[in-house]
Amino acid sequence: MLFAPSRALARLAIVAAAALLAVGCSLAPDFYPQKGDSAPHHGVRRVHTLPVHGIDVSHWQGRIDWDRVRAAGTRFAFIKATEGGLHLDPRFHENWEGARRVGIPRGAYHFIFWCRDPVEQARWFIENVPNEPDMLPPVLDMEWNNHSRLCRRRVPREEALEKTRVILEMFHRHYGRLPIIYTDINFHRDVLEGEHFDATFWLRSVAAEPHERYRDRRWTFWQWTQTGTVPGIRGGVDRNAFYGTEREWREFLSTDCDPRDAARLNALGYCRTRGS
């Protein structure tokens, strides 16, 4: 009984500390209170401290009210354009013009088929995606086609890398922008890990921060949930974040290069001034 008061005080101190911690966490900035996540994961909670968030969409989102999407604070949108060498997303042009009309910076992405010729695929994307001065860099979506009805083939690592470099080069040559690589954990582990690309990386990681899932790969964009909720979009939508500050976002928009790599990439002729 002699030590009971000190134990009680210690317990009170622990409770008080926990309360202060909870208050501190609640004070973390929420830049997009109108947006949400229908199945939030604790492992990605830090994403809410990042100031620049966006979405990626395809025809699966149906008709999008881009005015409401913009009003909710959406800062960028990646829009599905093509896959393989023949498929054009049926809502690509509608979404492309919708995002442009409300002033959301937008880029287009191509879902690669490993059983199709890379030149044919790059040409199909170029044929369907206009080269416009206000667009974000073109995106190459690199995953295994496990759920495709047309092309589930897995190619050897070297063949996948060769196809990748062909498409990236054609994208860069046509659009004059350093392309973006989107990939997931499995494909990165099987093919991309340890390989150098000057391209910007957009990584999918919905249960942990990217550095916990990708070895030696720095990210510029992070797809952190596929169950996001955004006004103007019915049902779930992928939500994404840019790694940096408002100033760094403005630098990216004006150069198409990650500001952390700008000096090196500019020396290689990859960065540009918007409108040049």
Side-chain angles (χ1 to χ4, degrees), residues 147-193:
H147 303 294
S148 172
R149 292 180 293 104
L150 303 174
C151 177
R152 297 186 183 182
R153 180 186 172 206
R154 288 200 178 204
V155 299
R157 182 173 185 267
E158 290 306 316
E159 182 178 342
L161 289 171
E162 180 182 358
K163 290 177 183 289
T164 296
R165 296 189 193 279
V166 168
I167 295 177
L168 292 177
E169 172 58 27
M170 291 182 67
F171 280 4
H172 177 249
R173 192 183 323 127
H174 179 78
Y175 292 98
R177 295 165 172 81
L178 186 67
I180 296 171
I181 289 176
Y182 168 91
T183 194
D184 63 11
I185 294 167
N186 292 333
F187 188 86
H188 187 271
R189 180 198 61 225
D190 295 345
V191 176
L192 299 177
E193 190 172 288

mmCIF file of all heavy atoms in Angstrom, residues 147-193:
data_model
loop_
_atom_site.group_PDB
_atom_site.id
_atom_site.type_symbol
_atom_site.label_atom_id
_atom_site.label_comp_id
_atom_site.label_asym_id
_atom_site.label_seq_id
_atom_site.Cartn_x
_atom_site.Cartn_y
_atom_site.Cartn_z
ATOM 1 N N HIS A 147 -5.519 -10.684 -64.949
ATOM 2 C CA HIS A 147 -6.971 -10.719 -65.075
ATOM 3 C C HIS A 147 -7.455 -10.373 -66.479
ATOM 4 O O HIS A 147 -8.661 -10.252 -66.708
ATOM 5 C CB HIS A 147 -7.591 -9.752 -64.059
ATOM 6 C CG HIS A 147 -7.195 -10.033 -62.642
ATOM 7 N ND1 HIS A 147 -7.562 -11.182 -61.989
ATOM 8 C CD2 HIS A 147 -6.415 -9.332 -61.774
ATOM 9 C CE1 HIS A 147 -7.058 -11.167 -60.763
ATOM 10 N NE2 HIS A 147 -6.352 -10.065 -60.615
ATOM 11 N N SER A 148 -6.537 -10.232 -67.391
ATOM 12 C CA SER A 148 -6.920 -9.885 -68.753
ATOM 13 C C SER A 148 -7.595 -11.072 -69.451
ATOM 14 O O SER A 148 -7.172 -12.215 -69.310
ATOM 15 C CB SER A 148 -5.688 -9.459 -69.557
ATOM 16 O OG SER A 148 -6.015 -9.304 -70.922
ATOM 17 N N ARG A 149 -8.623 -10.782 -70.224
ATOM 18 C CA ARG A 149 -9.270 -11.831 -71.011
ATOM 19 C C ARG A 149 -8.497 -12.116 -72.289
ATOM 20 O O ARG A 149 -8.669 -13.154 -72.898
ATOM 21 C CB ARG A 149 -10.696 -11.399 -71.374
ATOM 22 C CG ARG A 149 -11.649 -11.302 -70.190
ATOM 23 C CD ARG A 149 -13.048 -10.877 -70.604
ATOM 24 N NE ARG A 149 -13.078 -9.492 -71.102
ATOM 25 C CZ ARG A 149 -13.175 -9.153 -72.366
ATOM 26 N NH1 ARG A 149 -13.247 -10.096 -73.303
ATOM 27 N NH2 ARG A 149 -13.209 -7.884 -72.732
ATOM 28 N N LEU A 150 -7.627 -11.182 -72.673
ATOM 29 C CA LEU A 150 -6.970 -11.287 -73.971
ATOM 30 C C LEU A 150 -5.485 -11.627 -73.893
ATOM 31 O O LEU A 150 -4.937 -12.172 -74.857
ATOM 32 C CB LEU A 150 -7.137 -9.964 -74.734
ATOM 33 C CG LEU A 150 -8.575 -9.491 -74.947
ATOM 34 C CD1 LEU A 150 -8.571 -8.103 -75.573
ATOM 35 C CD2 LEU A 150 -9.327 -10.482 -75.818
ATOM 36 N N CYS A 151 -4.827 -11.297 -72.770
ATOM 37 C CA CYS A 151 -3.366 -11.392 -72.763
ATOM 38 C C CYS A 151 -2.856 -11.599 -71.348
ATOM 39 O O CYS A 151 -2.533 -10.630 -70.653
ATOM 40 C CB CYS A 151 -2.776 -10.117 -73.368
ATOM 41 S SG CYS A 151 -0.981 -10.047 -73.337
ATOM 42 N N ARG A 152 -2.768 -12.863 -70.921
ATOM 43 C CA ARG A 152 -2.275 -13.161 -69.584
ATOM 44 C C ARG A 152 -0.823 -13.629 -69.573
ATOM 45 O O ARG A 152 -0.306 -14.057 -68.552
ATOM 46 C CB ARG A 152 -3.145 -14.233 -68.929
ATOM 47 C CG ARG A 152 -4.580 -13.793 -68.726
ATOM 48 C CD ARG A 152 -5.378 -14.825 -67.952
ATOM 49 N NE ARG A 152 -6.766 -14.417 -67.831
ATOM 50 C CZ ARG A 152 -7.693 -15.106 -67.167
ATOM 51 N NH1 ARG A 152 -7.360 -16.235 -66.573
ATOM 52 N NH2 ARG A 152 -8.927 -14.665 -67.104
ATOM 53 N N ARG A 153 -0.168 -13.538 -70.691
ATOM 54 C CA ARG A 153 1.188 -14.060 -70.826
ATOM 55 C C ARG A 153 2.179 -13.326 -69.919
ATOM 56 O O ARG A 153 2.170 -12.101 -69.827
ATOM 57 C CB ARG A 153 1.636 -13.926 -72.278
ATOM 58 C CG ARG A 153 3.047 -14.432 -72.536
ATOM 59 C CD ARG A 153 3.479 -14.128 -73.956
ATOM 60 N NE ARG A 153 4.889 -14.445 -74.158
ATOM 61 C CZ ARG A 153 5.652 -13.871 -75.066
ATOM 62 N NH1 ARG A 153 5.137 -12.959 -75.878
ATOM 63 N NH2 ARG A 153 6.916 -14.196 -75.192
ATOM 64 N N ARG A 154 3.044 -14.091 -69.246
ATOM 65 C CA ARG A 154 4.175 -13.526 -68.510
ATOM 66 C C ARG A 154 5.428 -13.756 -69.328
ATOM 67 O O ARG A 154 5.734 -14.899 -69.687
ATOM 68 C CB ARG A 154 4.328 -14.187 -67.140
ATOM 69 C CG ARG A 154 3.261 -13.786 -66.144
ATOM 70 C CD ARG A 154 3.727 -14.061 -64.726
ATOM 71 N NE ARG A 154 2.760 -13.659 -63.751
ATOM 72 C CZ ARG A 154 3.036 -13.359 -62.483
ATOM 73 N NH1 ARG A 154 4.291 -13.441 -62.064
ATOM 74 N NH2 ARG A 154 2.092 -13.004 -61.648
ATOM 75 N N VAL A 155 6.133 -12.697 -69.602
ATOM 76 C CA VAL A 155 7.343 -12.806 -70.415
ATOM 77 C C VAL A 155 8.565 -12.816 -69.508
ATOM 78 O O VAL A 155 8.496 -12.390 -68.354
ATOM 79 C CB VAL A 155 7.426 -11.637 -71.420
ATOM 80 C CG1 VAL A 155 6.243 -11.664 -72.367
ATOM 81 C CG2 VAL A 155 7.521 -10.298 -70.692
ATOM 82 N N PRO A 156 9.699 -13.301 -70.005
ATOM 83 C CA PRO A 156 10.931 -13.245 -69.217
ATOM 84 C C PRO A 156 11.292 -11.804 -68.860
ATOM 85 O O PRO A 156 10.929 -10.858 -69.575
ATOM 86 C CB PRO A 156 11.976 -13.861 -70.147
ATOM 87 C CG PRO A 156 11.191 -14.704 -71.100
ATOM 88 C CD PRO A 156 9.886 -14.005 -71.288
ATOM 89 N N ARG A 157 12.016 -11.641 -67.780
ATOM 90 C CA ARG A 157 12.364 -10.317 -67.267
ATOM 91 C C ARG A 157 13.038 -9.449 -68.329
ATOM 92 O O ARG A 157 12.671 -8.278 -68.515
ATOM 93 C CB ARG A 157 13.267 -10.470 -66.051
ATOM 94 C CG ARG A 157 13.680 -9.167 -65.382
ATOM 95 C CD ARG A 157 14.423 -9.459 -64.085
ATOM 96 N NE ARG A 157 14.728 -8.239 -63.369
ATOM 97 C CZ ARG A 157 15.869 -7.566 -63.484
ATOM 98 N NH1 ARG A 157 16.810 -8.012 -64.313
ATOM 99 N NH2 ARG A 157 16.074 -6.461 -62.795
ATOM 100 N N GLU A 158 14.002 -9.984 -69.029
ATOM 101 C CA GLU A 158 14.723 -9.191 -70.015
ATOM 102 C C GLU A 158 13.817 -8.741 -71.156
ATOM 103 O O GLU A 158 13.959 -7.633 -71.683
ATOM 104 C CB GLU A 158 15.927 -9.974 -70.556
ATOM 105 C CG GLU A 158 17.045 -10.145 -69.540
ATOM 106 C CD GLU A 158 17.512 -8.820 -68.954
ATOM 107 O OE1 GLU A 158 17.679 -7.854 -69.737
ATOM 108 O OE2 GLU A 158 17.687 -8.735 -67.729
ATOM 109 N N GLU A 159 12.884 -9.593 -71.534
ATOM 110 C CA GLU A 159 11.950 -9.208 -72.590
ATOM 111 C C GLU A 159 11.030 -8.091 -72.112
ATOM 112 O O GLU A 159 10.742 -7.144 -72.863
ATOM 113 C CB GLU A 159 11.118 -10.412 -73.034
ATOM 114 C CG GLU A 159 10.160 -10.099 -74.175
ATOM 115 C CD GLU A 159 9.367 -11.297 -74.650
ATOM 116 O OE1 GLU A 159 9.779 -12.454 -74.349
ATOM 117 O OE2 GLU A 159 8.326 -11.092 -75.314
ATOM 118 N N ALA A 160 10.569 -8.200 -70.861
ATOM 119 C CA ALA A 160 9.718 -7.144 -70.310
ATOM 120 C C ALA A 160 10.469 -5.816 -70.247
ATOM 121 O O ALA A 160 9.912 -4.760 -70.580
ATOM 122 C CB ALA A 160 9.230 -7.541 -68.916
ATOM 123 N N LEU A 161 11.725 -5.848 -69.846
ATOM 124 C CA LEU A 161 12.525 -4.622 -69.772
ATOM 125 C C LEU A 161 12.740 -4.020 -71.158
ATOM 126 O O LEU A 161 12.686 -2.800 -71.337
ATOM 127 C CB LEU A 161 13.861 -4.902 -69.097
ATOM 128 C CG LEU A 161 13.793 -5.177 -67.588
ATOM 129 C CD1 LEU A 161 15.149 -5.664 -67.081
ATOM 130 C CD2 LEU A 161 13.367 -3.913 -66.829
ATOM 131 N N GLU A 162 12.968 -4.870 -72.138
ATOM 132 C CA GLU A 162 13.177 -4.381 -73.502
ATOM 133 C C GLU A 162 11.917 -3.691 -74.025
ATOM 134 O O GLU A 162 11.980 -2.591 -74.605
ATOM 135 C CB GLU A 162 13.567 -5.533 -74.424
ATOM 136 C CG GLU A 162 13.799 -5.102 -75.864
ATOM 137 C CD GLU A 162 14.132 -6.268 -76.777
ATOM 138 O OE1 GLU A 162 14.212 -7.412 -76.281
ATOM 139 O OE2 GLU A 162 14.293 -6.036 -77.979
ATOM 140 N N LYS A 163 10.760 -4.324 -73.836
ATOM 141 C CA LYS A 163 9.503 -3.721 -74.282
ATOM 142 C C LYS A 163 9.263 -2.388 -73.561
ATOM 143 O O LYS A 163 8.822 -1.403 -74.171
ATOM 144 C CB LYS A 163 8.337 -4.677 -73.999
ATOM 145 C CG LYS A 163 8.298 -5.923 -74.873
ATOM 146 C CD LYS A 163 7.148 -6.827 -74.448
ATOM 147 C CE LYS A 163 7.103 -8.122 -75.248
ATOM 148 N NZ LYS A 163 6.672 -7.918 -76.635
ATOM 149 N N THR A 164 9.568 -2.366 -72.279
ATOM 150 C CA THR A 164 9.377 -1.158 -71.485
ATOM 151 C C THR A 164 10.187 -0.001 -72.040
ATOM 152 O O THR A 164 9.678 1.111 -72.245
ATOM 153 C CB THR A 164 9.795 -1.419 -70.026
ATOM 154 O OG1 THR A 164 8.920 -2.404 -69.462
ATOM 155 C CG2 THR A 164 9.729 -0.150 -69.194
ATOM 156 N N ARG A 165 11.446 -0.244 -72.314
ATOM 157 C CA ARG A 165 12.331 0.835 -72.764
ATOM 158 C C ARG A 165 11.915 1.342 -74.148
ATOM 159 O O ARG A 165 12.030 2.535 -74.432
ATOM 160 C CB ARG A 165 13.780 0.362 -72.740
ATOM 161 C CG ARG A 165 14.270 0.039 -71.333
ATOM 162 C CD ARG A 165 15.774 -0.213 -71.282
ATOM 163 N NE ARG A 165 16.175 -0.812 -70.017
ATOM 164 C CZ ARG A 165 16.367 -0.130 -68.896
ATOM 165 N NH1 ARG A 165 16.161 1.174 -68.878
ATOM 166 N NH2 ARG A 165 16.736 -0.741 -67.775
ATOM 167 N N VAL A 166 11.418 0.447 -75.005
ATOM 168 C CA VAL A 166 10.948 0.874 -76.324
ATOM 169 C C VAL A 166 9.778 1.841 -76.191
ATOM 170 O O VAL A 166 9.751 2.913 -76.820
ATOM 171 C CB VAL A 166 10.545 -0.348 -77.175
ATOM 172 C CG1 VAL A 166 9.773 0.089 -78.425
ATOM 173 C CG2 VAL A 166 11.781 -1.149 -77.580
ATOM 174 N N ILE A 167 8.797 1.487 -75.375
ATOM 175 C CA ILE A 167 7.617 2.337 -75.224
ATOM 176 C C ILE A 167 7.968 3.658 -74.558
ATOM 177 O O ILE A 167 7.523 4.737 -74.995
ATOM 178 C CB ILE A 167 6.518 1.598 -74.439
ATOM 179 C CG1 ILE A 167 6.018 0.392 -75.248
ATOM 180 C CG2 ILE A 167 5.359 2.540 -74.114
ATOM 181 C CD1 ILE A 167 4.990 -0.454 -74.531
ATOM 182 N N LEU A 168 8.788 3.617 -73.510
ATOM 183 C CA LEU A 168 9.176 4.861 -72.836
ATOM 184 C C LEU A 168 9.890 5.805 -73.796
ATOM 185 O O LEU A 168 9.647 7.017 -73.792
ATOM 186 C CB LEU A 168 10.069 4.559 -71.628
ATOM 187 C CG LEU A 168 9.409 3.844 -70.452
ATOM 188 C CD1 LEU A 168 10.451 3.553 -69.381
ATOM 189 C CD2 LEU A 168 8.265 4.667 -69.869
ATOM 190 N N GLU A 169 10.760 5.266 -74.618
ATOM 191 C CA GLU A 169 11.492 6.096 -75.569
ATOM 192 C C GLU A 169 10.551 6.719 -76.586
ATOM 193 O O GLU A 169 10.667 7.907 -76.932
ATOM 194 C CB GLU A 169 12.564 5.268 -76.274
ATOM 195 C CG GLU A 169 13.265 5.976 -77.430
ATOM 196 C CD GLU A 169 13.946 7.273 -77.029
ATOM 197 O OE1 GLU A 169 14.342 7.407 -75.853
ATOM 198 O OE2 GLU A 169 14.070 8.170 -77.896
ATOM 199 N N MET A 170 9.591 5.944 -77.072
ATOM 200 C CA MET A 170 8.642 6.484 -78.045
ATOM 201 C C MET A 170 7.739 7.543 -77.411
ATOM 202 O O MET A 170 7.443 8.568 -78.035
ATOM 203 C CB MET A 170 7.816 5.355 -78.660
ATOM 204 C CG MET A 170 8.627 4.447 -79.574
ATOM 205 S SD MET A 170 7.629 3.140 -80.362
ATOM 206 C CE MET A 170 6.558 4.108 -81.439
ATOM 207 N N PHE A 171 7.327 7.315 -76.183
ATOM 208 C CA PHE A 171 6.530 8.318 -75.477
ATOM 209 C C PHE A 171 7.318 9.618 -75.329
ATOM 210 O O PHE A 171 6.805 10.715 -75.573
ATOM 211 C CB PHE A 171 6.138 7.805 -74.093
ATOM 212 C CG PHE A 171 4.964 6.856 -74.078
ATOM 213 C CD1 PHE A 171 4.346 6.429 -75.236
ATOM 214 C CD2 PHE A 171 4.472 6.373 -72.866
ATOM 215 C CE1 PHE A 171 3.272 5.556 -75.214
ATOM 216 C CE2 PHE A 171 3.394 5.510 -72.822
ATOM 217 C CZ PHE A 171 2.791 5.107 -73.992
ATOM 218 N N HIS A 172 8.558 9.497 -74.892
ATOM 219 C CA HIS A 172 9.374 10.689 -74.663
ATOM 220 C C HIS A 172 9.606 11.444 -75.968
ATOM 221 O O HIS A 172 9.513 12.675 -76.033
ATOM 222 C CB HIS A 172 10.700 10.318 -74.010
ATOM 223 C CG HIS A 172 11.598 11.502 -73.811
ATOM 224 N ND1 HIS A 172 12.770 11.681 -74.511
ATOM 225 C CD2 HIS A 172 11.474 12.579 -73.009
ATOM 226 C CE1 HIS A 172 13.331 12.811 -74.134
ATOM 227 N NE2 HIS A 172 12.577 13.381 -73.230
ATOM 228 N N ARG A 173 9.911 10.710 -77.022
ATOM 229 C CA ARG A 173 10.202 11.345 -78.299
ATOM 230 C C ARG A 173 8.978 12.104 -78.838
ATOM 231 O O ARG A 173 9.099 13.204 -79.368
ATOM 232 C CB ARG A 173 10.668 10.296 -79.310
ATOM 233 C CG ARG A 173 11.259 10.901 -80.583
ATOM 234 C CD ARG A 173 11.645 9.841 -81.596
ATOM 235 N NE ARG A 173 12.202 8.641 -80.982
ATOM 236 C CZ ARG A 173 11.752 7.418 -81.221
ATOM 237 N NH1 ARG A 173 10.725 7.232 -82.047
ATOM 238 N NH2 ARG A 173 12.318 6.382 -80.642
ATOM 239 N N HIS A 174 7.793 11.509 -78.685
ATOM 240 C CA HIS A 174 6.594 12.132 -79.248
ATOM 241 C C HIS A 174 6.088 13.286 -78.388
ATOM 242 O O HIS A 174 5.748 14.362 -78.927
ATOM 243 C CB HIS A 174 5.485 11.107 -79.410
ATOM 244 C CG HIS A 174 4.213 11.683 -79.959
ATOM 245 N ND1 HIS A 174 4.053 11.973 -81.301
ATOM 246 C CD2 HIS A 174 3.044 12.055 -79.348
ATOM 247 C CE1 HIS A 174 2.849 12.473 -81.506
ATOM 248 N NE2 HIS A 174 2.222 12.544 -80.336
ATOM 249 N N TYR A 175 6.021 13.081 -77.071
ATOM 250 C CA TYR A 175 5.398 14.083 -76.206
ATOM 251 C C TYR A 175 6.394 15.086 -75.635
ATOM 252 O O TYR A 175 5.985 16.122 -75.099
ATOM 253 C CB TYR A 175 4.639 13.394 -75.069
ATOM 254 C CG TYR A 175 3.429 12.627 -75.566
ATOM 255 C CD1 TYR A 175 3.496 11.248 -75.771
ATOM 256 C CD2 TYR A 175 2.236 13.277 -75.850
ATOM 257 C CE1 TYR A 175 2.399 10.542 -76.247
ATOM 258 C CE2 TYR A 175 1.136 12.579 -76.315
ATOM 259 C CZ TYR A 175 1.225 11.214 -76.512
ATOM 260 O OH TYR A 175 0.135 10.535 -76.991
ATOM 261 N N GLY A 176 7.686 14.791 -75.729
ATOM 262 C CA GLY A 176 8.681 15.711 -75.204
ATOM 263 C C GLY A 176 8.666 15.830 -73.701
ATOM 264 O O GLY A 176 9.107 16.842 -73.139
ATOM 265 N N ARG A 177 8.160 14.803 -73.032
ATOM 266 C CA ARG A 177 8.078 14.797 -71.575
ATOM 267 C C ARG A 177 8.673 13.505 -71.039
ATOM 268 O O ARG A 177 8.522 12.453 -71.654
ATOM 269 C CB ARG A 177 6.617 14.902 -71.104
ATOM 270 C CG ARG A 177 5.938 16.202 -71.462
ATOM 271 C CD ARG A 177 4.437 16.071 -71.289
ATOM 272 N NE ARG A 177 3.770 17.341 -71.443
ATOM 273 C CZ ARG A 177 3.468 17.895 -72.601
ATOM 274 N NH1 ARG A 177 3.801 17.268 -73.734
ATOM 275 N NH2 ARG A 177 2.866 19.052 -72.673
ATOM 276 N N LEU A 178 9.321 13.601 -69.884
ATOM 277 C CA LEU A 178 9.863 12.411 -69.247
ATOM 278 C C LEU A 178 8.693 11.556 -68.761
ATOM 279 O O LEU A 178 7.898 12.002 -67.932
ATOM 280 C CB LEU A 178 10.739 12.807 -68.061
ATOM 281 C CG LEU A 178 11.490 11.680 -67.362
ATOM 282 C CD1 LEU A 178 12.546 11.082 -68.286
ATOM 283 C CD2 LEU A 178 12.129 12.179 -66.069
ATOM 284 N N PRO A 179 8.534 10.317 -69.264
ATOM 285 C CA PRO A 179 7.362 9.522 -68.892
ATOM 286 C C PRO A 179 7.345 9.123 -67.418
ATOM 287 O O PRO A 179 8.349 9.192 -66.710
ATOM 288 C CB PRO A 179 7.492 8.274 -69.786
ATOM 289 C CG PRO A 179 8.383 8.686 -70.899
ATOM 290 C CD PRO A 179 9.348 9.665 -70.295
ATOM 291 N N ILE A 180 6.169 8.690 -67.001
ATOM 292 C CA ILE A 180 5.936 8.173 -65.650
ATOM 293 C C ILE A 180 5.715 6.672 -65.743
ATOM 294 O O ILE A 180 4.993 6.199 -66.623
ATOM 295 C CB ILE A 180 4.717 8.850 -65.004
ATOM 296 C CG1 ILE A 180 4.967 10.353 -64.822
ATOM 297 C CG2 ILE A 180 4.363 8.198 -63.664
ATOM 298 C CD1 ILE A 180 3.733 11.131 -64.379
ATOM 299 N N ILE A 181 6.332 5.922 -64.849
ATOM 300 C CA ILE A 181 6.089 4.478 -64.728
ATOM 301 C C ILE A 181 5.182 4.242 -63.528
ATOM 302 O O ILE A 181 5.511 4.630 -62.402
ATOM 303 C CB ILE A 181 7.397 3.695 -64.536
ATOM 304 C CG1 ILE A 181 8.223 3.694 -65.827
ATOM 305 C CG2 ILE A 181 7.108 2.254 -64.097
ATOM 306 C CD1 ILE A 181 9.577 3.013 -65.677
ATOM 307 N N TYR A 182 4.023 3.620 -63.782
ATOM 308 C CA TYR A 182 3.173 3.123 -62.694
ATOM 309 C C TYR A 182 3.415 1.628 -62.559
ATOM 310 O O TYR A 182 3.459 0.900 -63.565
ATOM 311 C CB TYR A 182 1.692 3.359 -63.014
ATOM 312 C CG TYR A 182 0.762 2.621 -62.070
ATOM 313 C CD1 TYR A 182 0.308 3.218 -60.901
ATOM 314 C CD2 TYR A 182 0.363 1.308 -62.332
ATOM 315 C CE1 TYR A 182 -0.528 2.539 -60.024
ATOM 316 C CE2 TYR A 182 -0.468 0.622 -61.464
ATOM 317 C CZ TYR A 182 -0.907 1.236 -60.313
ATOM 318 O OH TYR A 182 -1.717 0.553 -59.448
ATOM 319 N N THR A 183 3.549 1.157 -61.326
ATOM 320 C CA THR A 183 3.711 -0.282 -61.142
ATOM 321 C C THR A 183 3.219 -0.698 -59.771
ATOM 322 O O THR A 183 2.965 0.140 -58.888
ATOM 323 C CB THR A 183 5.181 -0.705 -61.346
ATOM 324 O OG1 THR A 183 5.255 -2.128 -61.476
ATOM 325 C CG2 THR A 183 6.064 -0.257 -60.186
ATOM 326 N N ASP A 184 3.071 -2.016 -59.595
ATOM 327 C CA ASP A 184 2.658 -2.552 -58.305
ATOM 328 C C ASP A 184 3.787 -3.366 -57.690
ATOM 329 O O ASP A 184 4.857 -3.538 -58.283
ATOM 330 C CB ASP A 184 1.371 -3.375 -58.432
ATOM 331 C CG ASP A 184 1.526 -4.603 -59.328
ATOM 332 O OD1 ASP A 184 2.667 -4.965 -59.694
ATOM 333 O OD2 ASP A 184 0.497 -5.222 -59.665
ATOM 334 N N ILE A 185 3.550 -3.854 -56.490
ATOM 335 C CA ILE A 185 4.602 -4.519 -55.713
ATOM 336 C C ILE A 185 5.126 -5.756 -56.422
ATOM 337 O O ILE A 185 6.346 -5.969 -56.523
ATOM 338 C CB ILE A 185 4.062 -4.880 -54.315
ATOM 339 C CG1 ILE A 185 3.757 -3.595 -53.526
ATOM 340 C CG2 ILE A 185 5.067 -5.740 -53.548
ATOM 341 C CD1 ILE A 185 2.945 -3.838 -52.261
ATOM 342 N N ASN A 186 4.239 -6.589 -56.952
ATOM 343 C CA ASN A 186 4.663 -7.852 -57.559
ATOM 344 C C ASN A 186 5.485 -7.635 -58.818
ATOM 345 O O ASN A 186 6.537 -8.254 -59.008
ATOM 346 C CB ASN A 186 3.441 -8.724 -57.879
ATOM 347 C CG ASN A 186 2.740 -9.208 -56.634
ATOM 348 O OD1 ASN A 186 3.354 -9.350 -55.577
ATOM 349 N ND2 ASN A 186 1.447 -9.456 -56.737
ATOM 350 N N PHE A 187 5.014 -6.757 -59.700
ATOM 351 C CA PHE A 187 5.747 -6.536 -60.941
ATOM 352 C C PHE A 187 7.098 -5.876 -60.666
ATOM 353 O O PHE A 187 8.106 -6.225 -61.288
ATOM 354 C CB PHE A 187 4.933 -5.692 -61.918
ATOM 355 C CG PHE A 187 5.565 -5.612 -63.273
ATOM 356 C CD1 PHE A 187 5.317 -6.591 -64.225
ATOM 357 C CD2 PHE A 187 6.453 -4.592 -63.594
ATOM 358 C CE1 PHE A 187 5.932 -6.555 -65.469
ATOM 359 C CE2 PHE A 187 7.070 -4.536 -64.831
ATOM 360 C CZ PHE A 187 6.813 -5.526 -65.769
ATOM 361 N N HIS A 188 7.117 -4.952 -59.746
ATOM 362 C CA HIS A 188 8.391 -4.303 -59.420
ATOM 363 C C HIS A 188 9.389 -5.327 -58.900
ATOM 364 O O HIS A 188 10.562 -5.336 -59.297
ATOM 365 C CB HIS A 188 8.177 -3.197 -58.386
ATOM 366 C CG HIS A 188 9.399 -2.383 -58.132
ATOM 367 N ND1 HIS A 188 10.331 -2.727 -57.163
ATOM 368 C CD2 HIS A 188 9.883 -1.256 -58.724
ATOM 369 C CE1 HIS A 188 11.307 -1.840 -57.161
ATOM 370 N NE2 HIS A 188 11.064 -0.933 -58.098
ATOM 371 N N ARG A 189 8.938 -6.208 -58.031
ATOM 372 C CA ARG A 189 9.832 -7.242 -57.485
ATOM 373 C C ARG A 189 10.336 -8.167 -58.587
ATOM 374 O O ARG A 189 11.529 -8.504 -58.628
ATOM 375 C CB ARG A 189 9.078 -8.062 -56.431
ATOM 376 C CG ARG A 189 9.896 -9.177 -55.780
ATOM 377 C CD ARG A 189 8.967 -10.169 -55.111
ATOM 378 N NE ARG A 189 8.059 -10.784 -56.075
ATOM 379 C CZ ARG A 189 6.752 -10.942 -55.874
ATOM 380 N NH1 ARG A 189 6.187 -10.522 -54.752
ATOM 381 N NH2 ARG A 189 6.003 -11.520 -56.805
ATOM 382 N N ASP A 190 9.463 -8.557 -59.503
ATOM 383 C CA ASP A 190 9.821 -9.536 -60.528
ATOM 384 C C ASP A 190 10.671 -8.952 -61.651
ATOM 385 O O ASP A 190 11.501 -9.666 -62.230
ATOM 386 C CB ASP A 190 8.553 -10.150 -61.140
ATOM 387 C CG ASP A 190 7.758 -10.965 -60.137
ATOM 388 O OD1 ASP A 190 8.304 -11.304 -59.066
ATOM 389 O OD2 ASP A 190 6.576 -11.245 -60.427
ATOM 390 N N VAL A 191 10.465 -7.676 -61.966
ATOM 391 C CA VAL A 191 11.084 -7.124 -63.183
ATOM 392 C C VAL A 191 11.901 -5.856 -62.928
ATOM 393 O O VAL A 191 13.040 -5.736 -63.394
ATOM 394 C CB VAL A 191 10.006 -6.833 -64.253
ATOM 395 C CG1 VAL A 191 10.623 -6.172 -65.482
ATOM 396 C CG2 VAL A 191 9.283 -8.124 -64.644
ATOM 397 N N LEU A 192 11.346 -4.902 -62.199
ATOM 398 C CA LEU A 192 11.943 -3.572 -62.142
ATOM 399 C C LEU A 192 12.970 -3.372 -61.037
ATOM 400 O O LEU A 192 13.800 -2.455 -61.122
ATOM 401 C CB LEU A 192 10.846 -2.514 -62.002
ATOM 402 C CG LEU A 192 9.834 -2.451 -63.143
ATOM 403 C CD1 LEU A 192 8.766 -1.409 -62.836
ATOM 404 C CD2 LEU A 192 10.525 -2.134 -64.462
ATOM 405 N N GLU A 193 12.924 -4.203 -60.034
ATOM 406 C CA GLU A 193 13.824 -4.009 -58.895
ATOM 407 C C GLU A 193 15.282 -4.075 -59.347
ATOM 408 O O GLU A 193 15.689 -4.983 -60.063
ATOM 409 C CB GLU A 193 13.568 -5.077 -57.827
ATOM 410 C CG GLU A 193 14.287 -4.824 -56.521
ATOM 411 C CD GLU A 193 13.847 -5.810 -55.443
ATOM 412 O OE1 GLU A 193 12.707 -5.674 -54.961
ATOM 413 O OE2 GLU A 193 14.636 -6.709 -55.105
#
